[in-house]
Every structure is written in C-alpha cells, then in structure tokens.
Amino acid sequence: MEHNDMIKQTLIDSKAIAKRIKELGKLITNDYKGKDLLVIGVLKGAWVYLADLLREVDVNAEVDFMSVSSYGSGTSTSGSITIVKDLSVSVEGRDVLIVEDIVDSGLTLSHLKDLLYSRNAKSVEVSTLLSKPSRRRVDVEVKYIGFEIPDEFVIGYGLDFDEKYRALRDVCVLKEEAYQK
Ligand code: PRP
C-alpha cells in the first residue's frame, strides 16, 4: 500500500479493534435500550470508528456530526471550542453519546460536554476508540474507552497525519522522520 512507508509499527490491528468494538457495542446497547439516543460523531477523526461501532449497537439511534476547531497551540485550559460545523438537530432532553477517535488532553471533550449540557441535553456520555491518559490536562469522564495507549503519534482508523492515513485499517505509529523535519 502506498502510504505504508511512513509506518513505524502497528499498534492495534483491525482484528483487535473489531473485537473491542463488539464488546463496547454490547455495553452501549445495554445502557441505551429503549432510550432516545443521539450519537454525535466529532469530525473528522471519528467517522471510521462511529461507522463500525454503531453497527454493533442494537439501539435505534439517530446520528449527527459536529466539527470543532482545536484550541490551537496555546497552553491555557480555559477558553472554549470554536464550532466549525454545528449539529442539525436539538439535543434538548436527549441522551447523547459523543463518539471520538482519540482523547488526548481532554480539552475538546470537556468543552463539548459543557456545550451540550448548556443546550439542555439530558445526559452526555462519551465513547472514544483511543485514550492517552498520560496527556490528560483536564479531568473528563469517558465512559466507553476502546484502548488506552502510550503517548505516540498514531495514525489510521480515522486518525490522520497532515490529513493522510485516515483509511488505514490498523492503528499505527508514525515514523518520527515524518514529523521531525
Ligand atoms: C482530535 C480528536 C479530538 C481532539 C482530541 O481532533 O479527534 O477531537 O483532537 O484532543 P484533545 O483531547 O487534546 O482535545 P483533531 O483536532 O486532530 O481533528 P480531526 O479529528 O479532524 O483529525
């Protein structure tokens, strides 16, 4: 495959991802059976995980997407996110599940949860495929975590480097030479 030359190693292969998603799907199904579930995918990274996860969730969920800008390179944990693309439905009174590809500092998620609660969501929980606990800067609850990973530059399964590699089937570690130029 054309873009394999920048891969240092496979961190989580597609089989392990699929197995874990089945487990998470069962948990989410149990927790949301009979509820008015709205699943919100955070673009762009979450689309691959969301597509696979939702097909393991046996709940009639509605799906919508949001795109928010990161907080830039600043070091502040305050401030807020900028909404690049907003939801097209109301969250008022609804049980919301945010789907992310990765939680790093936790800042994006923390702001997003606050935003959805300020819009009167009934509940807001989160599922992320990946979490880097060593990078966390704010304490934010993430109920359904696929894998906790070390602080490495990961690509694939929705995650990019310079907008490439999102379609890789495995989560892989990028070679340092790709970004240390
Ligand atoms: C990633 C990821 C989260 C955020 C997590 O998005 O999808 O939204 O960063 O980081 P944090 O926990 O430090 O806030 P990114 O900005 O890379 O955009 P993308 O999903 O479009 O690739």
Side-chain angles (χ1 to χ4, degrees), residues 42-46 67-71 100-110 112 135-137 140 158-160 163 166:
V42 185
L43 296 172
K44 297 179 187 173
S67 175
V68 296
S69 78
S70 63
Y71 34 87
E100 269 284 21
D101 54 340
I102 189 164
V103 180
D104 194 320
S105 69
L107 288 166
T108 305
L109 206 49
S110 171
L112 197 49
R135 297 263 304 169
R136 208 69 97 246
R137 292 175 57 205
V140 58
L159 292 111
D160 74 308
E163 292 302 328
R166 292 193 198 269

Side-chain angles (χ1 to χ4, degrees), residues 6 29 43 45 50 65 72-73 87 93-94 104 111 122-123 150 153 169 175:
M6 278 300 158
T29 299
L43 296 172
L50 187 146
F65 294 92
S73 55
L87 297 169
R94 306 192 68 180
D104 194 320
H111 290 307
K122 183 174 165 191
S123 68
F153 200 127
R169 291 175 192 274
K175 280 184 184 168

Side-chain angles (χ1 to χ4, degrees), residues 10-170:
T10 299
L11 190 64
I12 309 166
D13 68 22
S14 57
K15 273 192 176 172
I17 295 171
K19 182 168 175 281
R20 182 66 184 135
I21 287 178
K22 275 189 195 297
E23 293 168 358
L24 290 174
K26 284 195 181 115
L27 290 176
I28 293 167
T29 299
N30 281 335
D31 291 350
Y32 288 97
K33 261 261 136 78
K35 292 190 174 171
D36 178 23
L37 177 60
L38 172 63
V39 175
I40 298 177
V42 185
L43 296 172
K44 297 179 187 173
W47 61 270
V48 180
Y49 176 49
L50 187 146
D52 284 347
L53 178 68
L54 260 201
R55 285 177 290 176
E56 298 296 339
V57 173
D58 188 16
V59 174
N60 238 337
E62 182 175 358
V63 183
D64 202 355
F65 294 92
M66 271 188 99
S67 175
V68 296
S69 78
S70 63
Y71 34 87
S73 55
T75 53
S76 168
T77 55
S78 61
S80 62
I81 46 176
T82 304
I83 300 170
V84 177
K85 180 217 169 294
D86 207 340
L87 297 169
S88 47
V89 296
S90 167
V91 298
E92 184 154 1
R94 306 192 68 180
D95 293 303
V96 174
L97 179 68
I98 299 172
V99 175
E100 269 284 21
D101 54 340
I102 189 164
V103 180
D104 194 320
S105 69
L107 288 166
T108 305
L109 206 49
S110 171
H111 290 307
L112 197 49
K113 279 178 112 173
D114 287 349
L115 176 76
L116 297 176
Y117 274 122
S118 77
R119 293 179 178 182
N120 298 320
K122 183 174 165 191
S123 68
V124 182
E125 299 293 353
V126 181
S127 181
T128 185
L129 180 73
L130 305 173
S131 174
K132 285 183 178 174
S134 65
R135 297 263 304 169
R136 208 69 97 246
R137 292 175 57 205
V138 284
D139 188 21
V140 58
E141 197 204 332
V142 183
K143 192 164 183 182
Y144 311 99
I145 297 176
F147 301 89
E148 293 198 336
I149 61 168
D151 185 17
E152 306 239 46
F153 200 127
V154 283
I155 52 170
Y157 204 81
L159 292 111
D160 74 308
F161 167 61
D162 206 12
E163 292 302 328
K164 292 189 281 286
Y165 308 103
R166 292 193 198 269
L168 287 175
R169 291 175 192 274
D170 307 322

